[in-house]
mmCIF file of all heavy atoms in Angstrom:
data_model
loop_
_atom_site.group_PDB
_atom_site.id
_atom_site.type_symbol
_atom_site.label_atom_id
_atom_site.label_comp_id
_atom_site.label_asym_id
_atom_site.label_seq_id
_atom_site.Cartn_x
_atom_site.Cartn_y
_atom_site.Cartn_z
ATOM 1 N N LYS A 54 -11.780 -240.919 -2.852
ATOM 2 C CA LYS A 54 -11.574 -242.354 -2.811
ATOM 3 C C LYS A 54 -12.429 -242.995 -1.691
ATOM 4 O O LYS A 54 -13.087 -243.997 -1.921
ATOM 5 C CB LYS A 54 -10.111 -242.689 -2.598
ATOM 6 C CG LYS A 54 -9.789 -244.162 -2.655
ATOM 7 C CD LYS A 54 -8.308 -244.398 -2.542
ATOM 8 C CE LYS A 54 -7.986 -245.900 -2.613
ATOM 9 N NZ LYS A 54 -6.557 -246.175 -2.533
ATOM 10 N N LYS A 55 -12.438 -242.399 -0.495
ATOM 11 C CA LYS A 55 -13.217 -242.948 0.599
ATOM 12 C C LYS A 55 -14.719 -242.822 0.304
ATOM 13 O O LYS A 55 -15.515 -243.701 0.652
ATOM 14 C CB LYS A 55 -12.885 -242.279 1.937
ATOM 15 C CG LYS A 55 -11.689 -242.881 2.576
ATOM 16 C CD LYS A 55 -11.698 -242.644 4.062
ATOM 17 C CE LYS A 55 -10.699 -243.547 4.732
ATOM 18 N NZ LYS A 55 -10.874 -243.677 6.155
ATOM 19 N N ILE A 56 -15.127 -241.685 -0.336
ATOM 20 C CA ILE A 56 -16.544 -241.545 -0.676
ATOM 21 C C ILE A 56 -16.936 -242.628 -1.674
ATOM 22 O O ILE A 56 -18.022 -243.230 -1.519
ATOM 23 C CB ILE A 56 -16.809 -240.136 -1.284
ATOM 24 C CG1 ILE A 56 -16.664 -239.076 -0.179
ATOM 25 C CG2 ILE A 56 -18.213 -240.053 -1.913
ATOM 26 C CD1 ILE A 56 -16.697 -237.612 -0.727
ATOM 27 N N ALA A 57 -16.108 -242.917 -2.652
ATOM 28 C CA ALA A 57 -16.393 -243.977 -3.622
ATOM 29 C C ALA A 57 -16.545 -245.346 -2.953
ATOM 30 O O ALA A 57 -17.441 -246.140 -3.244
ATOM 31 C CB ALA A 57 -15.347 -244.000 -4.702
ATOM 32 N N LYS A 58 -15.643 -245.626 -1.987
ATOM 33 C CA LYS A 58 -15.730 -246.891 -1.267
ATOM 34 C C LYS A 58 -16.988 -246.971 -0.422
ATOM 35 O O LYS A 58 -17.651 -248.022 -0.369
ATOM 36 C CB LYS A 58 -14.498 -247.059 -0.400
ATOM 37 C CG LYS A 58 -13.228 -247.354 -1.153
ATOM 38 C CD LYS A 58 -12.049 -247.533 -0.229
ATOM 39 C CE LYS A 58 -10.816 -248.036 -0.957
ATOM 40 N NZ LYS A 58 -9.749 -248.456 -0.052
ATOM 41 N N LEU A 59 -17.330 -245.861 0.221
ATOM 42 C CA LEU A 59 -18.581 -245.835 1.038
ATOM 43 C C LEU A 59 -19.768 -246.009 0.158
ATOM 44 O O LEU A 59 -20.732 -246.747 0.475
ATOM 45 C CB LEU A 59 -18.630 -244.540 1.836
ATOM 46 C CG LEU A 59 -19.842 -244.371 2.753
ATOM 47 C CD1 LEU A 59 -19.903 -245.465 3.813
ATOM 48 C CD2 LEU A 59 -19.803 -243.012 3.402
ATOM 49 N N ARG A 60 -19.803 -245.348 -1.005
ATOM 50 C CA ARG A 60 -20.926 -245.473 -1.964
ATOM 51 C C ARG A 60 -21.062 -246.938 -2.396
ATOM 52 O O ARG A 60 -22.215 -247.454 -2.472
ATOM 53 C CB ARG A 60 -20.720 -244.591 -3.170
ATOM 54 C CG ARG A 60 -21.042 -243.129 -2.850
ATOM 55 C CD ARG A 60 -20.828 -242.225 -4.041
ATOM 56 N NE ARG A 60 -21.715 -242.592 -5.154
ATOM 57 C CZ ARG A 60 -21.636 -242.087 -6.360
ATOM 58 N NH1 ARG A 60 -20.728 -241.194 -6.646
ATOM 59 N NH2 ARG A 60 -22.492 -242.461 -7.290
ATOM 60 N N LEU A 61 -19.953 -247.592 -2.693
ATOM 61 C CA LEU A 61 -20.016 -248.999 -3.120
ATOM 62 C C LEU A 61 -20.603 -249.889 -1.999
ATOM 63 O O LEU A 61 -21.491 -250.695 -2.235
ATOM 64 C CB LEU A 61 -18.626 -249.504 -3.471
ATOM 65 C CG LEU A 61 -18.530 -251.024 -3.784
ATOM 66 C CD1 LEU A 61 -19.353 -251.383 -5.031
ATOM 67 C CD2 LEU A 61 -17.094 -251.431 -3.982
ATOM 68 N N ALA A 62 -20.150 -249.667 -0.758
ATOM 69 C CA ALA A 62 -20.618 -250.459 0.354
ATOM 70 C C ALA A 62 -22.134 -250.265 0.584
ATOM 71 O O ALA A 62 -22.897 -251.221 0.713
ATOM 72 C CB ALA A 62 -19.858 -250.109 1.619
ATOM 73 N N VAL A 63 -22.556 -248.995 0.613
ATOM 74 C CA VAL A 63 -23.969 -248.689 0.849
ATOM 75 C C VAL A 63 -24.812 -249.230 -0.304
ATOM 76 O O VAL A 63 -25.898 -249.775 -0.092
ATOM 77 C CB VAL A 63 -24.155 -247.189 1.094
ATOM 78 C CG1 VAL A 63 -25.652 -246.843 1.110
ATOM 79 C CG2 VAL A 63 -23.476 -246.754 2.374
ATOM 80 N N ASP A 64 -24.346 -249.065 -1.540
ATOM 81 C CA ASP A 64 -25.081 -249.552 -2.677
ATOM 82 C C ASP A 64 -25.283 -251.065 -2.627
ATOM 83 O O ASP A 64 -26.379 -251.577 -2.892
ATOM 84 C CB ASP A 64 -24.376 -249.161 -3.983
ATOM 85 C CG ASP A 64 -25.143 -249.585 -5.228
ATOM 86 O OD1 ASP A 64 -26.160 -248.899 -5.542
ATOM 87 O OD2 ASP A 64 -24.799 -250.604 -5.844
ATOM 88 N N GLU A 65 -24.243 -251.797 -2.263
ATOM 89 C CA GLU A 65 -24.336 -253.255 -2.178
ATOM 90 C C GLU A 65 -25.346 -253.668 -1.118
ATOM 91 O O GLU A 65 -26.180 -254.549 -1.338
ATOM 92 C CB GLU A 65 -22.968 -253.858 -1.857
ATOM 93 C CG GLU A 65 -21.980 -253.815 -3.030
ATOM 94 C CD GLU A 65 -22.408 -254.629 -4.222
ATOM 95 O OE1 GLU A 65 -23.218 -255.573 -4.085
ATOM 96 O OE2 GLU A 65 -21.910 -254.338 -5.327
ATOM 97 N N VAL A 66 -25.301 -253.060 0.029
ATOM 98 C CA VAL A 66 -26.204 -253.450 1.116
ATOM 99 C C VAL A 66 -27.651 -253.026 0.778
ATOM 100 O O VAL A 66 -28.590 -253.788 0.986
ATOM 101 C CB VAL A 66 -25.748 -252.865 2.475
ATOM 102 C CG1 VAL A 66 -26.795 -253.047 3.533
ATOM 103 C CG2 VAL A 66 -24.441 -253.537 2.865
ATOM 104 N N ALA A 67 -27.830 -251.812 0.267
ATOM 105 C CA ALA A 67 -29.172 -251.340 -0.109
ATOM 106 C C ALA A 67 -29.799 -252.255 -1.167
ATOM 107 O O ALA A 67 -30.958 -252.610 -1.104
ATOM 108 C CB ALA A 67 -29.129 -249.910 -0.565
ATOM 109 N N THR A 68 -28.984 -252.624 -2.144
ATOM 110 C CA THR A 68 -29.452 -253.518 -3.205
ATOM 111 C C THR A 68 -29.900 -254.882 -2.608
ATOM 112 O O THR A 68 -30.961 -255.405 -2.964
ATOM 113 C CB THR A 68 -28.387 -253.744 -4.293
ATOM 114 O OG1 THR A 68 -28.051 -252.476 -4.856
ATOM 115 C CG2 THR A 68 -28.834 -254.698 -5.372
ATOM 116 N N ASN A 69 -29.115 -255.418 -1.711
ATOM 117 C CA ASN A 69 -29.501 -256.688 -1.056
ATOM 118 C C ASN A 69 -30.758 -256.557 -0.253
ATOM 119 O O ASN A 69 -31.623 -257.446 -0.263
ATOM 120 C CB ASN A 69 -28.361 -257.214 -0.205
ATOM 121 C CG ASN A 69 -27.271 -257.925 -1.006
ATOM 122 O OD1 ASN A 69 -27.438 -258.155 -2.195
ATOM 123 N ND2 ASN A 69 -26.201 -258.276 -0.350
ATOM 124 N N ILE A 70 -30.912 -255.447 0.450
ATOM 125 C CA ILE A 70 -32.156 -255.232 1.231
ATOM 126 C C ILE A 70 -33.356 -255.203 0.289
ATOM 127 O O ILE A 70 -34.366 -255.842 0.551
ATOM 128 C CB ILE A 70 -32.073 -253.938 2.053
ATOM 129 C CG1 ILE A 70 -30.984 -254.053 3.171
ATOM 130 C CG2 ILE A 70 -33.433 -253.586 2.659
ATOM 131 C CD1 ILE A 70 -30.665 -252.713 3.831
ATOM 132 N N ILE A 71 -33.206 -254.459 -0.788
ATOM 133 C CA ILE A 71 -34.315 -254.334 -1.730
ATOM 134 C C ILE A 71 -34.630 -255.669 -2.416
ATOM 135 O O ILE A 71 -35.772 -256.111 -2.497
ATOM 136 C CB ILE A 71 -33.976 -253.233 -2.808
ATOM 137 C CG1 ILE A 71 -33.931 -251.871 -2.107
ATOM 138 C CG2 ILE A 71 -35.021 -253.274 -3.944
ATOM 139 C CD1 ILE A 71 -33.278 -250.783 -2.955
ATOM 140 N N ASP A 72 -33.567 -256.345 -2.896
ATOM 141 C CA ASP A 72 -33.769 -257.597 -3.632
ATOM 142 C C ASP A 72 -34.168 -258.774 -2.765
ATOM 143 O O ASP A 72 -34.993 -259.606 -3.197
ATOM 144 C CB ASP A 72 -32.482 -257.985 -4.380
ATOM 145 C CG ASP A 72 -32.273 -257.171 -5.647
ATOM 146 O OD1 ASP A 72 -33.220 -256.487 -6.088
ATOM 147 O OD2 ASP A 72 -31.180 -257.255 -6.193
#
Side-chain angles (χ1 to χ4, degrees):
K54 184 176 180 178
K55 276 204 165 196
I56 291 172
K58 287 181 173 191
L59 181 60
R60 283 179 62 188
L61 173 63
V63 172
D64 184 77
E65 289 295 338
V66 171
T68 299
N69 279 353
I70 292 168
I71 293 164
D72 282 348

